[in-house]
Amino acid sequence: MDLQDQLKNLFPDHEPEDEPDNDKNEPAYWLQDDPIICKYEKRKGKPVTVLEGYNGADSDFKKLTKDLKTLLGVGGSFKNEAIIIQGDYRDKIMDFLKESGFSVKRVGG
């Protein structure tokens, strides 16, 4: 006897509601019309990829930063309205952002 059967025995008059369908087309992040600037810099002799121009909420920034770091398996941070990823991963980051629905502009090199 599973849990559903036990609940039916305890509450015979209860009509189960339909489970809400999660909308699969809903974007995971807030999308904007302006492109995100993806650029390469060297800081203290180390290569970093900097993403600027995203004007979503802080929670969206943090979620996007975490997803990028997880995808690439590298370190990074979110500081001063910019996402900083350790290493030169412009191509992979741009592909991920385009798949997520963002418009991306590559700057430098």
Side-chain angles (χ1 to χ4, degrees), residues 18-24:
D18 294 332
E19 294 181 10
D21 295 333
N22 291 337
D23 189 10
K24 301 276 182 186

mmCIF file of all heavy atoms in Angstrom, residues 18-24:
data_model
loop_
_atom_site.group_PDB
_atom_site.id
_atom_site.type_symbol
_atom_site.label_atom_id
_atom_site.label_comp_id
_atom_site.label_asym_id
_atom_site.label_seq_id
_atom_site.Cartn_x
_atom_site.Cartn_y
_atom_site.Cartn_z
ATOM 1 N N ASP A 18 -5.113 18.715 -9.545
ATOM 2 C CA ASP A 18 -4.106 18.453 -10.577
ATOM 3 C C ASP A 18 -2.819 19.157 -10.191
ATOM 4 O O ASP A 18 -2.834 20.300 -9.723
ATOM 5 C CB ASP A 18 -4.572 18.969 -11.939
ATOM 6 C CG ASP A 18 -5.783 18.183 -12.441
ATOM 7 O OD1 ASP A 18 -5.904 17.011 -12.064
ATOM 8 O OD2 ASP A 18 -6.574 18.760 -13.207
ATOM 9 N N GLU A 19 -1.712 18.477 -10.393
ATOM 10 C CA GLU A 19 -0.426 19.082 -10.068
ATOM 11 C C GLU A 19 -0.125 20.177 -11.075
ATOM 12 O O GLU A 19 -0.352 20.003 -12.269
ATOM 13 C CB GLU A 19 0.676 18.023 -10.095
ATOM 14 C CG GLU A 19 0.519 16.985 -9.008
ATOM 15 C CD GLU A 19 1.634 15.958 -9.050
ATOM 16 O OE1 GLU A 19 2.605 16.167 -9.791
ATOM 17 O OE2 GLU A 19 1.510 14.963 -8.333
ATOM 18 N N PRO A 20 0.382 21.306 -10.606
ATOM 19 C CA PRO A 20 0.698 22.389 -11.545
ATOM 20 C C PRO A 20 1.851 21.990 -12.452
ATOM 21 O O PRO A 20 2.830 21.381 -12.015
ATOM 22 C CB PRO A 20 1.087 23.566 -10.647
ATOM 23 C CG PRO A 20 1.501 22.928 -9.362
ATOM 24 C CD PRO A 20 0.695 21.661 -9.239
ATOM 25 N N ASP A 21 1.697 22.308 -13.720
ATOM 26 C CA ASP A 21 2.755 22.016 -14.684
ATOM 27 C C ASP A 21 3.793 23.122 -14.628
ATOM 28 O O ASP A 21 3.461 24.302 -14.699
ATOM 29 C CB ASP A 21 2.192 21.928 -16.106
ATOM 30 C CG ASP A 21 1.236 20.759 -16.264
ATOM 31 O OD1 ASP A 21 1.392 19.776 -15.520
ATOM 32 O OD2 ASP A 21 0.340 20.839 -17.130
ATOM 33 N N ASN A 22 5.043 22.734 -14.485
ATOM 34 C CA ASN A 22 6.123 23.714 -14.509
ATOM 35 C C ASN A 22 6.367 24.104 -15.954
ATOM 36 O O ASN A 22 6.550 23.255 -16.815
ATOM 37 C CB ASN A 22 7.399 23.141 -13.899
ATOM 38 C CG ASN A 22 7.251 22.940 -12.414
ATOM 39 O OD1 ASN A 22 6.421 23.593 -11.793
ATOM 40 N ND2 ASN A 22 8.042 22.049 -11.847
ATOM 41 N N ASP A 23 6.369 25.405 -16.215
ATOM 42 C CA ASP A 23 6.542 25.898 -17.575
ATOM 43 C C ASP A 23 7.998 25.720 -17.984
ATOM 44 O O ASP A 23 8.884 26.375 -17.454
ATOM 45 C CB ASP A 23 6.127 27.371 -17.655
ATOM 46 C CG ASP A 23 6.072 27.875 -19.076
ATOM 47 O OD1 ASP A 23 6.164 27.045 -20.007
ATOM 48 O OD2 ASP A 23 5.927 29.099 -19.260
ATOM 49 N N LYS A 24 8.251 24.839 -18.923
ATOM 50 C CA LYS A 24 9.615 24.547 -19.367
ATOM 51 C C LYS A 24 10.183 25.682 -20.208
ATOM 52 O O LYS A 24 11.386 25.816 -20.349
ATOM 53 C CB LYS A 24 9.647 23.247 -20.181
ATOM 54 C CG LYS A 24 9.143 22.042 -19.430
ATOM 55 C CD LYS A 24 10.217 21.447 -18.602
ATOM 56 C CE LYS A 24 9.660 20.199 -17.913
ATOM 57 N NZ LYS A 24 10.517 19.604 -17.010
#
